[in-house]
Amino acid sequence: MDEHRLGLKPVYRRVWAPRGKTPLASVRPRYRWLYMYGFVRPGTGESEFWLLPTVNAVAFSEVLGRFARLRGAGKGKLLLLVLDRAGWHVSGRVEVPGGVGLVFLPPYSPELQPVERVWPLVDAAVANGQVETEEELWARVEARCAYLQTQPGLIRSHTLF
């Protein structure tokens, strides 16, 4: 489980261009953000994404609670989530629902987090393009996340290491 931020600020990727031609990308950076909370199961490629306008301990607690209810966590089923040590993950204000266990990665080790490798797949929805409005950003990212949820083989190939 991890969070990712996308916004109206452009995401640039390398592109092919004829020799001597410089590819152009229109830029109008604006600082409004959309946060994705991503859950992946590397062994099966199952994924789930939650889109929210903010990231903090309260929002994280809400997502954890809803995720636990949807997955049936409780006395008979334990969910273990691998997390980094972001401030909102370790905050005393986080309410961890019953049936959910949190396993924290060592500090400064994002390369150990499987879901980190999914974010470039999500970024593809807006890479090298200009998003005019927040509504367009939400629509593009929502469509991309819905597509990725139907591609467990792709998710598995990026997260099972």
Side-chain angles (χ1 to χ4, degrees), residues 3-158:
E3 297 87 12
H4 181 60
R5 178 178 76 176
L6 265 176
L8 298 178
K9 186 175 179 182
V11 174
Y12 297 113
R13 296 234 173 116
R14 292 179 150 217
V15 297
W16 288 99
R19 186 174 292 257
K21 299 285 184 179
T22 302
L24 300 176
S26 70
V27 176
R28 198 177 112 211
R30 287 149 300 152
Y31 299 93
R32 295 225 175 97
W33 306 106
L34 159 67
Y35 295 89
M36 285 163 290
Y37 293 70
F39 296 84
V40 297
R41 191 173 188 182
T44 64
E46 288 178 80
S47 61
E48 190 169 314
F49 301 96
W50 297 70
L51 306 178
L52 286 126
T54 189
V55 64
N56 57 37
V58 174
F60 177 60
S61 296
E62 182 67 24
V63 169
L64 273 183
R66 289 178 186 240
F67 179 74
R69 282 193 297 278
L70 282 174
R71 293 293 176 162
K75 277 189 170 184
K77 186 176 184 181
L78 176 64
L79 300 175
L80 288 177
L81 297 177
V82 177
L83 304 163
D84 57 22
R85 295 176 183 266
W88 51 88
H89 293 163
V90 296
S91 170
R93 297 185 355 223
V94 172
E95 297 174 19
V96 180
V100 174
L102 305 180
V103 177
F104 293 100
L105 291 168
Y108 309 106
S109 58
E111 70 279 359
L112 299 177
Q113 178 61 285
V115 76
E116 286 284 346
R117 297 179 184 206
V118 173
W119 300 137
L121 298 174
V122 174
D123 290 350
V126 295
N128 293 337
Q130 187 170 351
V131 180
E132 293 297 327
T133 65
E134 287 181 69
E135 292 78 21
E136 182 184 354
L137 173 69
W138 279 77
R140 282 191 189 186
V141 173
E142 183 179 356
R144 183 65 179 174
C145 289
Y147 167 75
L148 289 173
Q149 286 181 294
T150 67
Q151 303 297 314
L154 179 63
I155 299 295
R156 187 173 189 269
S157 72
H158 280 77

